[in-house]
Amino acid sequence: LVITPNITLTGNSTISGNTLGNITLGGTVNGAYTLDLNTTGTTTLSGIIGGTTALTSLTTNTGGTTAINGGSVTTTGAQTYNDNVTLGANTTLTTTSNGNISFAGTIEGSGKNLTLDTGLTSGTISVTGAVGSAAALGTITISKSAGTTFSSSVNAATITISDTKASTSVTF
C-alpha cells in the first residue's frame, strides 16, 4: 500500500498492510488524531509526521519494521513503536504534552542522529531492543524526559542529555 500525497487526518485512523504487505506514506501526515499502522511488513514514513499539526499519537504493531526516513515525528501524546525501527535520516521524535516514547524492538541507523524529546516533564522514554547493533548511530540526544531506560545494548558515537528537569534518570 503506497500513499504518495500528503495526508491530513480528519479522525482517528488505522492503516493496514493486509498482514504482510508494506505500507509507504510518501508525503507528510498531519492532524490532531491517532494513527495506527498495522503490518508485519515494512512501514515507511517518507515525510515529516505531525510537522504542521501534531498527531495525537502514533502506534505501530509488532512483527515488522518501521523505516523513519522523513526526519521528524511529532505527537501530543504517545509514540509507540512495537516493531524494529530503522532511521533513514537524522531523526527527531517529539511528544509535546508529556507523552511517552517507547520502542519494543531494535533501533538501527548507521551514523544517523536520534533526538528523543517528551516535551515537558512527565513523559518517559523506553527502549527494549538493542540500539545500533549493526553499526553505531551518530548522536543520541535525550531531551526533556522524566526518565529514560535502555534495556539492551546501546552503540552510538555520542549520547547527550539536555534536560531541564533535575531529577531525570537515564538507565542503561
Side-chain angles (χ1 to χ4, degrees):
L1 174 65
V2 177
I3 303 172
T4 55
N6 297 332
I7 298 171
T8 300
L9 301 177
T10 58
N12 295 334
S13 302
T14 299
I15 299 174
S16 176
N18 292 327
T19 309
L20 295 175
N22 296 331
I23 299 171
T24 299
L25 302 181
T28 62
V29 180
N30 290 287
Y33 296 95
T34 63
L35 177 60
D36 296 331
L37 301 167
N38 297 325
T39 184
T40 55
T42 300
T43 299
T44 302
L45 306 176
S46 298
I48 294 172
I49 308 301
T52 302
T53 303
L55 278 59
T56 302
S57 66
L58 176 70
T59 303
T60 67
N61 69 320
T62 58
T65 300
T66 297
I68 303 174
N69 298 337
S72 176
V73 177
T74 303
T75 58
T76 57
Q79 292 182 33
T80 306
Y81 302 92
N82 286 310
D83 47 11
N84 296 329
V85 171
T86 61
L87 306 176
N90 294 333
T91 299
T92 300
L93 305 179
T94 304
T95 65
T96 61
S97 296
N98 294 315
N100 299 329
I101 300 173
S102 60
F103 300 88
T106 62
I107 303 172
E108 297 292 344
S110 179
K112 300 297 187 277
N113 298 329
L114 175 62
T115 300
L116 303 169
D117 183 344
T118 61
L120 299 172
T121 57
S122 66
T124 61
I125 299 165
S126 172
V127 182
T128 302
V131 177
S133 63
L137 271 64
T139 298
I140 298 174
T141 302
I142 299 166
S143 176
K144 299 181 201 142
S145 168
T148 300
T149 302
F150 292 94
S151 299
S152 190
S153 62
V154 177
N155 184 12
T158 307
I159 298 174
T160 303
I161 301 170
S162 61
D163 201 313
T164 57
K165 186 172 181 182
S167 63
T168 295
S169 65
V170 177
T171 306
F172 292 94

